[in-house]
């Protein structure tokens, strides 16, 4: 009989589900790391919340551990690379607190509209300042959603019930899905210019960090009210305070901060500012939901091998795994590449296989492509939940097998459709194991995709490679590998360089300023 340890306080229904499913369970909470090391070796599964830290040291003592389940979204307390190296599956429950978080955003929106915290403090201080607090109605106001995924769509539904006009910015939101949600899909600049209220529902990634920067906040409508129940770091907090102090921003409510716990902040004490201590998931119902979900997921895996919401494992049979593993590594790299390079909203993505790849199970390959593609915009996506997230956003995903024989014995091609047309990348396996890029946007190029890289599109002309090398060398950046392709002599050329460290913004600006450069950007694999 499988045995699970619940090491953090969790709703009793979790233990009940384990027992009903034939899993032995111990509820032992509050243990120190040393105490946990002493007992973890006897368990097949570990159910945690945020208190237990599943470190490399803990995992070294977990000789029988097969799966870790996090009741909640964040897995910062789990060393996923170490777990993967040990063959331990890590799962979370990304959708258990969606309604609770959405409701908290709506509550903060009401509180901003009517200045409820300040009015409460004033009244309890015996001031009765009825004329001081003049609020605004939500009816007929425009709500701007930054992020229209699971939580964002719930907020939109609630806002429409309040008779608000809802506009949304989300790179993955298709016109069809926007129509289904009853929202208007807009660009970020349009949203900033039109929204009376702005609420953020996007993960923190390199692309979304400081999405509401000082520059973006300057583009907002005067008097805008801003709510963030998603992730700290999405808003430039110093710029937000400046906007509040100047009166350009009418109010702001944050449930999350760049540094947590937020014991101090430049925003504290600012007029028209509301803060809560990361309460988005803090309701009785949400805690019950995530406890039930993590218990069901762990029991499914330990009893029948089912995999749900795994962060480090695709859905595979034991027979398929060895053959598909290198293809999935290739697919994820191709998805990541096209995700980083695609411009504009992506409405469709096609995964094509030819040669030996056409005879394989394409579902895991597709999952790997989508995980790589969407990881650019999401910190919780994985090979298992990526197809679900793509469907939720209305992304048209196609799988195509070709019987034809091409230049390579096996080939995987990924093509994305945007408003600017289709863009395609393709790769193969060398020795049936090593992923290799062989085509980039119609240009033949052979390259390994690993670590930090520099991508440059330039006019093919003598002396360019020397100037680029000099620029990187003067900045102290060492080139690992150098890959070149071109459409024709004197035409458009593509450079992919692996570098020992990521290219920063200042150096990237220098590269872009070189004569003949059309595009330059840093990539990470």
């Amino acid at each position: 009989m499988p045995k699970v340890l619940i090491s953090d306080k969790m709703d009793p229904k979790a233990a009940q589900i384990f027992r009903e499913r034939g899993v032995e369970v111990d509820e032992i909470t509050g243990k120190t790391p040393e105490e946990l090391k002493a007992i973890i070796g006897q368990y097949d599964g570990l159910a945690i919340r945020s208190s237990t830290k599943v470190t490399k040291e803990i995992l070294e003592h977990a000789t029988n551990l097969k799966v870790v389940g996090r009741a909640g979204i964040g897995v910062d307390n789990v060393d996923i690379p170490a777990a993967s190296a040990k063959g331990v599956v890590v799962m979370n429950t990304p959708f258990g607190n969606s309604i609770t978080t959405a409701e908290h955003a709506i509550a903060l929106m009401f509180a901003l509209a009517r200045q409820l915290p300040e009015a409460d403090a004033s009244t309890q201080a015996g001031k009765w300042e009825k004329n001081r607090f003049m609020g605004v109605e939500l009816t007929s106001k425009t709500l701007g959603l930054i992020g229209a995924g699971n939580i964002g769509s719930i907020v939109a539904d609630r806002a429409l019930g309040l008779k608000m006009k809802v506009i949304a910015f989300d790179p993955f939101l298709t016109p069809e899905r926007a129509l289904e949600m009853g929202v208007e899909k807009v660009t970020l600049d349009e949203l900033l210019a039109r929204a009376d209220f702005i609420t953020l529902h996007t993960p923190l990634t390199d692309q979304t960090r400081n999405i509401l920067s000082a520059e973006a906040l300057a583009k907002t409508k005067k008097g805008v009210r801003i709510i963030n129940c998603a992730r700290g770091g999405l808003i430039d907090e110093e710029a937000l305070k400046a906007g509040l102090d100047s009166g350009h921003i009418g109010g702001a409510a944050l449930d999350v901060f760049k540094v947590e716990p937020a014991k101090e902040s430049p925003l504290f004490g600012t007029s028209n500012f509301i803060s809560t201590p990361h309460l988005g998931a803090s309701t009785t119902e949400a805690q019950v939901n995530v406890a039930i979900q993590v218990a069901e997921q762990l029991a499914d895996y330990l009893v029948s091998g089912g995999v749900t919401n795994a962060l480090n494992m695709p859905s595979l049979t034991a027979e398929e795994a060895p053959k598909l593993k290198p293809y999935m590594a290739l697919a994820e790299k191709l998805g990541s590449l096209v995700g980083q390079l695609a411009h504009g909203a992506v409405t469709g993505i096609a995964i094509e296989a030819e040669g030996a790849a056409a005879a394989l199970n394409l579902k895991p390959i597709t999952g790997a492509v989508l995980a790589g593609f969407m990881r650019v915009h999401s910190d919780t996506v994985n090979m298992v939940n990526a197809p679900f997230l793509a469907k939720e956003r209305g992304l048209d995903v196609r799988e195509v097998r070709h019987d034809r024989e091409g230049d390579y014995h096996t080939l995987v091609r990924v093509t994305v459709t945007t408003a600017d047309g289709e863009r395609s990348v393709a790769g193969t396996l060398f020795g049936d194991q090593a992923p290799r890029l062989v085509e980039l946007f119609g240009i033949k190029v052979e390259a390994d995709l690993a670590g930090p890289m520099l991508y440059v599109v330039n006019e093919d002309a003598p002396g360019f490679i020397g100037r680029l090398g000099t620029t990187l060398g003067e900045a102290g950046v060492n080139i690992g590998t150098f890959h070149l392709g071109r459409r024709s002599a004197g035409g458009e050329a593509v450079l992919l360089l692996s570098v020992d460290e990521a290219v920063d913004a200042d150096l990237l600006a220098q590269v872009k300023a070189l004569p003949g450069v059309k595009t330059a950007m840093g990539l990470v694999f």
Side-chain angles (χ1 to χ4, degrees):
M1 178 184 293
K3 191 174 182 179
V4 167
L5 171 65
I6 298 177
S7 62
D8 291 333
K9 290 182 179 179
M10 207 170 291
D11 190 273
K13 289 184 180 178
Q16 179 184 336
I17 288 171
F18 281 126
R19 296 186 179 102
E20 290 174 351
R21 297 288 298 275
V23 177
E24 185 179 351
V25 60
D26 289 334
E27 298 176 85
I28 307 174
T29 61
K31 291 294 183 183
T32 66
E34 291 302 318
E35 291 171 334
L36 185 57
K37 287 179 188 177
I39 63 174
I40 192 63
Q42 60 184 297
Y43 295 99
D44 301 286
L46 176 63
I48 63 171
R49 298 237 19 222
S50 58
S51 297
T52 298
K53 312 301 180 188
V54 186
T55 62
K56 183 177 180 180
E57 291 72 27
I58 295 293
L59 289 163
E60 287 173 351
H61 289 77
T63 51
N64 292 312
L65 195 64
K66 301 174 181 63
V67 60
V68 174
R70 163 72 161 99
I73 297 177
V75 287
D76 296 343
N77 54 327
V78 181
D79 189 333
I80 295 179
S84 301
K86 286 273 294 182
V88 176
V89 178
V90 180
M91 301 177 177
N92 66 351
T93 56
F95 307 115
N97 54 17
S98 299
I99 290 176
T100 288
T101 304
E103 288 184 352
H104 194 61
I106 294 292
L108 290 177
M109 185 163 61
F110 270 113
L112 280 177
R114 302 304 292 267
Q115 299 173 272
L116 296 182
E118 290 177 297
D120 171 69
S122 170
T123 305
Q124 294 206 45
K127 297 181 180 179
W128 200 257
E129 299 175 296
K130 184 174 182 180
N131 294 329
R132 174 186 166 192
F133 302 106
M134 183 60 63
V136 297
E137 292 184 351
L138 297 183
T139 299
S140 300
K141 296 297 188 298
T142 297
L143 174 64
L145 295 177
I146 298 179
N150 189 42
I151 296 173
S153 63
I154 297 171
V155 171
D157 178 66
R158 304 305 193 263
L160 290 170
L162 294 170
K163 307 303 181 185
M164 299 183 79
K165 163 75 174 176
V166 183
I167 59 178
F169 167 72
D170 186 324
F172 296 114
L173 182 65
T174 64
E176 292 78 15
R177 174 60 177 158
L179 185 63
E180 180 183 335
M181 289 173 57
V183 307
E184 179 186 351
K185 178 180 170 67
V186 296
T187 65
L188 180 59
D189 281 351
E190 285 180 285
L191 183 146
L192 298 174
R194 293 172 53 189
D196 300 299
F197 291 81
I198 296 174
T199 179
L200 296 99
H201 301 286
T202 182
L204 181 65
T205 68
D206 288 340
Q207 281 68 37
T208 61
R209 191 181 309 278
N210 275 345
I211 192 168
L212 289 187
S213 61
E215 181 183 4
L217 291 172
K219 297 178 181 178
T220 57
K221 190 174 183 179
K222 182 173 173 56
V224 67
R225 292 168 172 84
I226 298 169
I227 301 101
N228 186 12
C229 292
R231 289 287 188 275
L234 295 175
I235 303 175
D236 183 330
E237 293 175 10
E238 288 75 16
L240 180 62
K241 176 177 172 53
L244 288 166
D245 288 341
S246 72
H248 179 79
I249 297 173
L254 302 188
D255 185 49
V256 290
F257 292 83
K258 184 177 181 180
V259 177
E260 293 185 1
K263 297 297 181 67
E264 55 183 25
S265 168
L267 288 161
F268 290 168
T270 303
S271 181
N272 296 316
F273 174 69
I274 300 171
S275 60
T276 52
H278 207 144
L279 298 179
S282 297
T283 64
T284 302
E285 293 84 356
Q287 301 315 308
V288 172
N289 288 340
V290 295
I292 290 173
Q293 288 178 21
V294 79
E296 289 177 341
Q297 290 176 195
L298 264 63
D300 280 346
Y301 182 72
L302 292 172
V303 174
S304 62
V307 179
T308 306
N309 293 321
L311 297 170
N312 62 343
M313 178 184 176
S315 181
L316 295 174
T317 66
E319 294 76 18
E320 291 175 322
K323 187 180 295 185
L324 280 168
K325 186 175 180 180
Y327 280 96
M328 292 168 62
L330 169 65
E332 185 168 4
K333 289 177 182 294
L334 293 176
S336 177
L337 176 63
V338 78
Q340 293 180 73
L341 295 181
H343 298 291
V346 174
T347 57
I349 184 165
I351 297 90
E352 301 175 74
E354 65 180 65
L360 300 174
N361 176 5
L362 288 188
K363 292 300 180 185
I365 295 175
T366 297
V369 168
L370 293 174
F373 173 72
M374 300 183 74
R375 194 166 287 132
V376 177
H377 302 281
S378 174
D379 56 358
T380 60
V381 71
N382 59 71
M383 294 180 189
V384 176
N385 65 17
F388 172 82
L389 295 174
K391 181 179 180 180
E392 181 181 66
R393 286 162 171 77
L395 194 65
D396 180 29
V397 180
R398 294 185 296 117
E399 295 175 353
V400 182
R401 300 175 191 268
H402 297 291
D403 294 332
R404 66 186 181 219
E405 291 194 13
D407 296 334
Y408 299 91
H409 80 287
T410 188
L411 187 83
V412 176
R413 180 181 300 278
V414 179
T415 303
V416 294
T417 303
T418 71
D420 298 327
E422 294 186 342
R423 308 195 83 183
S424 174
V425 299
T428 189
L429 295 177
F430 276 22
D432 289 329
Q433 291 294 323
R436 186 72 61 87
L437 177 72
V438 295
E439 186 183 314
L440 177 60
F441 302 156
I443 297 176
K444 300 294 183 182
V445 58
E446 290 197 3
D448 298 319
L449 299 176
M453 301 191 79
L454 176 64
Y455 165 77
V456 180
V457 179
N458 64 283
E459 296 173 357
D460 184 32
F464 177 77
I465 293 175
R467 289 192 294 272
L468 176 61
T470 299
T471 301
L472 296 178
E474 290 176 348
V477 174
N478 189 47
I479 298 173
T481 60
F482 189 99
H483 311 283
L484 173 67
R486 63 183 184 180
R487 296 190 190 278
S488 61
E492 189 176 74
V494 168
L495 289 170
L496 274 174
L497 294 80
S498 68
V499 289
D500 291 349
E501 58 187 50
V503 176
D504 62 28
D506 290 340
L507 179 54
L508 194 60
Q510 293 179 45
V511 173
K512 290 179 178 178
L514 291 174
V517 172
K518 296 182 177 180
T519 302
M521 65 184 296
L523 305 175
V524 179
F525 297 95

